[in-house]
Amino acid sequence: KEGDTVEEVAGTLQNMIGRLPMLQPAANFLAVTMMNINSVWHPTISYGFYRSNPVPADGFDEPPLFYQGADEYTGEKLDKVSNEVLELKGVLEKRYPSLDLKDCHHVSEWMLRSYGDDIGDKSSIYKMLITNKGYRGLTHPMIEKEIDGKKKYFPNYKYRYFTEDIPCGLIVTRGIAEMAGVATPHMDDVIMWCQEVMGKEYLKDGKLAGKDLGETRAPQHYGFTDLNTFMNVNRYI
């Protein structure tokens, strides 16, 4: 409730869930929003995979591996999208010196901190994806169909990797970047591909002005077009 300190709220929540996991308060909600790992991870890996592995007309014989099926291009794309998020972080911190975004990290740092020694090769994002024990055997979301008596598999573009991680994740970060004047060409590549396979339109002519923007959590959906207004109304500064 209003008036409680961060420590008091954290203590109350810790008592509710027990000793583990240990809760650590984030600097602010904006940092958590920009550090939405799933919004970078899932759409970008999907984009990278289907870029080089077109869906066969009669489907895949088995569900393709999600993380272990990634290639070097996908690892590089993840790096570039994450760098765009960090560029946005830098612009915001410079413009608002009191803003604390220390909880927003590069995806590679997040992965190392989250999985540590479960990662066999830490030399690149691509290598971390394919050698992470925690990701072993996980597949792309699929829809199973029977064709000529055989099970075949087709991408499920209605899965949360798309229906949640785009409109409630990556689009939100993209919307903040648009207000801040930060270019996001790599993020846009991912969004444009995802919205096409989803049958949606969020980005149009380089702006968040598509016909389906109302389905998203983008700041622009709520009438925000000015960064200072957005930051002040949401009490980020």
Side-chain angles (χ1 to χ4, degrees):
K1 63 183 180 180
E2 188 171 356
D4 286 349
T5 66
V6 172
E7 290 74 19
E8 288 171 335
V9 173
T12 298
L13 292 174
Q14 193 72 65
N15 288 335
M16 292 173 62
I17 66 172
R19 187 172 63 88
L20 295 174
M22 287 292 293
L23 300 180
Q24 294 182 340
N28 58 59
F29 191 71
L30 181 59
V32 174
T33 298
M34 293 171 56
M35 192 57 231
N36 182 347
I37 187 68
N38 286 347
S39 73
V40 174
W41 230 221
H42 298 149
T44 307
I45 292 174
S46 299
Y47 162 81
F49 177 80
Y50 291 112
R51 170 186 169 273
S52 55
N53 296 276
V55 182
D58 61 346
F60 294 101
D61 292 333
E62 58 184 25
L65 292 171
F66 192 75
Y67 297 99
Q68 291 170 289
D71 57 13
E72 291 189 22
Y73 173 88
T74 301
E76 292 170 358
K77 199 66 170 180
L78 284 165
D79 177 61
K80 291 173 181 177
V81 173
S82 189
N83 282 336
E84 290 176 345
V85 177
L86 292 186
E87 182 181 354
L88 172 59
K89 171 186 175 181
V91 168
L92 294 175
E93 289 179 329
K94 183 176 181 179
R95 186 162 179 176
Y96 307 105
S98 64
L99 183 63
D100 185 357
L101 296 177
K102 67 176 181 295
D103 294 313
C104 183
H105 311 289
H106 194 278
V107 293
S108 59
E109 180 179 345
W110 174 87
M111 193 171 182
L112 289 169
R113 290 171 56 171
S114 300
Y115 290 96
D117 291 338
D118 282 345
I119 302 172
D121 187 337
K122 304 174 183 179
S123 61
S124 69
I125 295 178
Y126 160 64
K127 291 293 186 181
M128 287 192 282
L129 288 173
I130 65 173
T131 65
N132 185 351
K133 294 178 182 178
Y135 291 160
R136 190 172 295 163
L138 298 178
T139 63
H140 283 266
M142 292 280 138
I143 296 173
E144 181 183 304
K145 296 182 180 181
E146 186 168 314
I147 299 178
D148 296 330
K150 296 181 180 180
K151 290 182 178 180
K152 306 293 280 189
Y153 300 88
F154 296 84
N156 183 359
Y157 298 127
K158 295 185 183 298
Y159 194 67
R160 63 182 176 87
Y161 288 7
F162 300 92
T163 59
E164 292 181 16
D165 292 335
I166 289 294
C168 301
L170 200 57
I171 287 290
V172 180
T173 303
R174 175 57 172 75
I176 300 170
E178 186 170 308
M179 290 189 293
V182 175
T184 56
H186 299 288
M187 196 180 297
D188 289 2
D189 285 344
V190 175
I191 292 173
M192 291 297 290
W193 177 81
C194 286
Q195 70 178 29
E196 181 179 356
V197 298
M198 293 169 66
K200 300 292 184 179
E201 182 187 68
Y202 308 124
L203 268 180
K204 182 179 180 181
D205 300 326
K207 298 288 185 181
L208 283 176
K211 62 181 179 62
D212 298 306
L213 188 65
E215 301 175 3
T216 76
R217 297 297 182 265
Q220 288 76 2
H221 165 54
Y222 300 98
F224 292 108
T225 56
D226 175 72
L227 182 62
N228 285 333
T229 302
F230 171 77
M231 297 295 288
N232 280 287
V233 169
N234 290 286
R235 300 182 181 181
Y236 294 138
I237 55 174

